[in-house]
Amino acid sequence: MSDKTKKGLFVTFSVYVNSAFGGVQRCTKEYQEVIEAAGWSLEVLAYEIDRRWQARIFRKLKPSSFYNRIPQSFIDALIAQVQSKHIPYVFLNQVDALCIAPYLKSAVPDVKIVLLSHGAQFVDDFLAAQNQTSISSRKRSHLANTILDEMQLRQHIDHVFTLSEQEVAFERWLGAKSVSWLPRIISPKPLDWKPIAGRAGFVGTLDHQPNYEGLLSILTNLQTRKDFEGTIRIVSSSKELGRYLEERFHFVKYLGRLDNEDLKNEASTWTWFIHPLFIWSRGCSTKLADALEWQIPVLTTEVGCRGYTWQKGNVIRFDAINEYSSYLCGKDSEYDISLVRQKLILASETSPSVLDVAALAKLALNKIS
């Protein structure tokens, strides 16, 4: 280890660093790579959810997104390691780990604690409540407690990194002392693109409200039109909802969950990668990164682009459902798609690299040293 390399602990829920590669795993990997490229030597400490009966009872009596989830034994071992090895930085991956901060700061006041946010928890809790005709007093209390807990816990954090510029405003509202955002990293891996005219594809978890409602709004709109003659192919592990959509819309084909190679082969036949997000949920959507890396035409929204930046080129985006559907119906000629793809390739190739984002992270972290 060079003299300039700083030591740090990367604390995360074990599921976020397992072999699966969903959105949260991708963002976790990006954070880790960026911090290491910025000059930190990281040791990963992964925790499990506390399954003891006492913890389960506490969670039932007082539901919380933060407390009674991480074993106290893990927190004590973490503090002991910071003290014995003189670790100057601790990086908490995801807001799930926020409850560690007050214990750690109390025991080691000089340690720098950095939150690697994937989005404020209260945003998703608010969306879940918003989707209900009536909200019980218990759920109201839970939402209020989530906001208050997030505000209180951030008082022990020295810096917050977010996945999008919009999340910076949320963090400031919650009282973060120092906050900045890190754009998504794109590593182009072009597919052998051989599109089938009129074929569009969707990839995502349908159990996630913004994904499902966005897709459903587009499918419903397409069903009312007379100028859509294509097919929408859905790749998702959400079997019940996927099959429901296939039964409801004659132009939908549900493919289930595909492994990486099968997904790439399937996506290489899509004229459009559709990414219809219209609801501001927490964090950012990592699915746009797939289209950018595969360099296939994507039809998205402003919400879908949050957390992304590029120097040249662009992607097609519409925030009005009818305009989105109209473009999906009308822009399928080979010439138009070729132009769209050329601009997307430019965006893909001029998006930030690990080193670009690491420079931003280093600048922010040096300010709290």
Side-chain angles (χ1 to χ4, degrees), residues 17-290:
V17 287
N18 65 12
S19 58
F21 202 67
V24 69
Q25 285 85 4
R26 180 184 180 113
C27 292
T28 296
K29 185 172 182 288
E30 281 188 13
Y31 272 137
Q32 187 176 353
E33 289 178 346
V34 163
I35 294 165
E36 289 177 336
W40 273 257
S41 174
L42 297 179
E43 179 181 347
V44 177
L45 293 185
Y47 61 83
E48 303 291 343
I49 297 299
D50 194 340
R51 303 295 182 188
R52 295 176 305 155
W53 65 267
Q54 299 99 320
R56 293 201 300 269
I57 289 175
F58 280 129
R59 289 198 293 269
K60 196 170 186 65
L61 292 174
K62 187 181 179 182
S64 170
S65 299
F66 309 102
Y67 296 107
N68 301 312
R69 298 179 63 81
I70 299 178
Q72 187 63 45
S73 58
F74 177 89
I75 298 175
D76 292 341
L78 167 64
I79 292 172
Q81 186 167 344
V82 170
Q83 291 173 325
S84 64
K85 295 184 178 181
H86 305 289
I87 305 292
Y89 291 85
V90 173
F91 299 89
L92 303 179
N93 182 45
Q94 262 277 33
V95 294
D96 310 34
L98 268 174
C99 67
I100 293 172
Y103 295 101
L104 179 57
K105 208 65 167 173
S106 176
V108 192
D110 293 335
V111 68
K112 301 301 180 184
I113 306 178
V114 180
L115 172 62
L116 308 174
S117 174
H118 295 220
Q121 178 63 39
F122 84 88
V123 177
D124 275 4
D125 286 357
F126 177 77
L127 284 177
Q130 194 178 39
N131 202 38
Q132 299 173 13
T133 54
S134 63
I135 305 173
S136 67
S137 58
R138 183 178 178 84
K139 289 184 178 179
R140 288 174 186 267
S141 177
H142 178 66
L143 177 57
N145 286 335
T146 295
I147 295 173
L148 293 172
D149 287 344
E150 292 212 79
M151 294 176 71
Q152 187 271 327
L153 288 168
R154 275 167 176 74
Q155 298 311 302
H156 307 279
I157 302 297
D158 294 286
H159 189 76
V160 180
F161 284 123
T162 73
L163 297 176
S164 69
E165 189 173 9
Q166 291 78 13
E167 289 280 338
V168 172
F170 290 148
E171 290 296 331
R172 287 176 176 156
W173 184 79
L174 290 169
K177 302 173 185 176
S178 175
V179 57
S180 58
W181 77 283
L182 300 177
R184 309 283 49 76
I185 295 165
I186 302 299
S187 303
K189 305 176 187 69
L191 298 183
D192 182 16
W193 188 56
K194 297 177 180 178
I196 296 174
R199 177 180 287 191
F202 170 90
V203 184
T205 305
L206 297 176
D207 296 304
H208 185 51
Q209 180 189 348
N211 286 346
Y212 181 71
E213 291 194 6
L215 179 59
L216 181 61
S217 66
I218 295 301
L219 297 180
T220 302
N221 188 274
L222 290 174
Q223 190 176 47
T224 65
R225 305 175 65 101
K226 296 180 180 180
D227 56 346
F228 181 67
E229 299 176 352
T231 59
I232 305 294
R233 295 164 72 84
I234 298 174
V235 178
S236 177
S237 59
S238 309
K239 293 181 181 179
E240 186 175 342
L241 289 172
R243 288 171 179 163
Y244 165 73
L245 294 177
E246 185 177 49
E247 291 174 2
R248 178 172 171 180
F249 303 98
H250 71 275
F251 50 83
V252 167
K253 175 65 177 177
Y254 173 60
L255 303 175
R257 182 176 183 174
L258 302 180
D259 62 31
N260 287 339
E261 283 307 308
D262 287 341
L263 175 57
K264 290 176 183 178
N265 290 335
E266 169 64 27
S268 69
T269 70
W270 296 347
T271 299
W272 289 106
F273 183 118
I274 62 171
H275 186 240
L277 286 177
F278 301 97
I279 298 175
W280 288 91
S281 58
R282 64 189 289 192
C284 73
S285 172
T286 60
K287 291 306 175 186
L288 180 58
D290 291 335

